[in-house]
Amino acid sequence: MQKGNFIKMPKKTNKTGISAERDFLPTNCREMDALGWDCCDVVIVTGDAYIDHPAFGAALVGRFLESRGLRVGIIAMPDVKNPADFTALGRPRLFFGVSAGNLDSLVSRFTAAKKIRSDDPYVPGGMRTNRPERALIVYCNALRSVYKEAPIVIGGIEASLRRIAHYDYWSDTVRRPIVLDCKADLAIYGMAEKPLGILVDRLSQGASLRQQLDIPQTVVALGKQALADLEKSNA
């Protein structure tokens, strides 16, 4: 059953005949209010549809965070031309987690011959959508336009493959690490469960996201002075 920008999986029943379906993570304030939440701890922004299945990264990460006791919401397939899409769940207590989706957004939009694709397997109906090029950068910039100081953590394949200076096939140039273009506070790359678990445990205890410089599989941007101070403290 398709509903809005997420797809509801068929109900499953256990041996007693009782439905084993789990509630969806909230996608708007009305659903959040129904849960009795005043805010989310983490809001995940993804270029894919929200399909509550482990094949979809945003759902998997959301359920992982939920298992650690956090209140998690999802903003799926936001329209970058509509700032209200990014305010659907308000500002989270800990951070926004942003991903372009299961694929690099340029791979989602273009063939190897740089022709626009006619379909997108990670959205309802498989139809081509308005997923932007370099979606990770675009989504982060959109969030910054409405929540200027909100902490942002990026992840997923687009963040992982572009975490260092890299050759960009689409522009035929060498681009700098994507965390700089996103102006994100921190990037997590690879299989993120362990570093993400460390991060949310620290933040839940009152630590600042912008001071997390020693978590494996993470990337942060440091200015010259901050880098000099870090090297001095480790000397």
Side-chain angles (χ1 to χ4, degrees):
M1 175 180 176
Q2 183 174 320
K3 181 181 178 183
N5 58 1
F6 60 88
I7 293 177
K8 192 173 184 179
M9 304 301 290
K11 288 186 177 181
K12 297 180 180 180
T13 57
N14 56 28
K15 293 181 180 179
T16 65
I18 299 174
S19 173
E21 181 188 36
R22 299 184 66 187
D23 291 334
F24 278 92
L25 300 174
T27 60
N28 55 54
C29 285
R30 176 177 53 81
E31 295 171 354
M32 191 170 66
D33 290 343
L35 294 171
W37 299 357
D38 56 349
C39 70
C40 290
D41 296 314
V42 176
V43 171
I44 297 173
V45 179
T46 175
D48 294 337
Y50 170 31
I51 299 178
D52 205 65
H53 187 277
F56 286 74
L60 189 64
V61 171
R63 292 304 188 186
F64 171 75
L65 293 172
E66 181 189 50
S67 74
R68 303 182 78 89
L70 298 181
R71 299 172 297 180
V72 185
I74 292 187
I75 297 174
M77 298 167 51
D79 182 355
V80 295
K81 296 179 181 179
N82 182 16
D85 279 10
F86 294 88
T87 64
L89 289 164
R91 176 171 171 164
R93 184 175 66 88
L94 298 181
F95 60 84
F96 283 100
V98 185
S99 170
N102 276 10
L103 295 177
D104 183 294
S105 57
L106 289 169
V107 175
S108 292
R109 284 186 59 84
F110 298 102
T111 68
K114 300 183 180 180
K115 303 295 184 181
I116 295 180
R117 294 186 187 274
S118 60
D119 62 354
D120 186 335
Y122 293 105
V123 302
M127 302 299 291
R128 183 164 61 88
T129 64
N130 61 352
R131 188 197 306 263
E133 299 174 26
R134 307 189 191 282
L136 201 58
I137 298 172
V138 176
Y139 291 159
C140 288
N141 287 338
L143 282 171
R144 288 289 186 218
S145 71
V146 291
Y147 299 111
K148 296 187 184 302
E149 298 301 322
I152 295 177
V153 175
I154 59 175
I157 193 167
E158 189 161 315
S160 297
L161 296 181
R162 299 170 183 270
R163 67 184 184 274
I164 59 175
H166 57 280
Y167 172 71
D168 182 75
Y169 167 76
W170 312 100
S171 62
D172 193 26
T173 61
V174 174
R175 292 179 63 95
R176 63 184 185 170
I178 196 168
V179 71
L180 298 176
D181 291 328
C182 288
K183 297 181 175 60
D185 298 288
L186 183 142
I188 298 179
Y189 60 88
M191 301 301 288
E193 288 86 349
K194 186 173 181 179
L196 186 57
I198 295 171
L199 177 65
V200 297
D201 285 349
R202 290 183 181 181
L203 298 185
S204 295
Q205 294 169 8
S208 168
L209 174 60
R210 295 178 175 87
Q211 295 175 346
Q212 303 310 306
L213 307 179
D214 62 341
I215 301 176
Q217 291 178 236
T218 63
V219 177
V220 295
L222 295 176
K224 290 183 178 180
Q225 186 58 51
L227 181 60
D229 292 344
L230 181 63
E231 290 175 340
K232 184 178 180 180
S233 65
N234 292 333

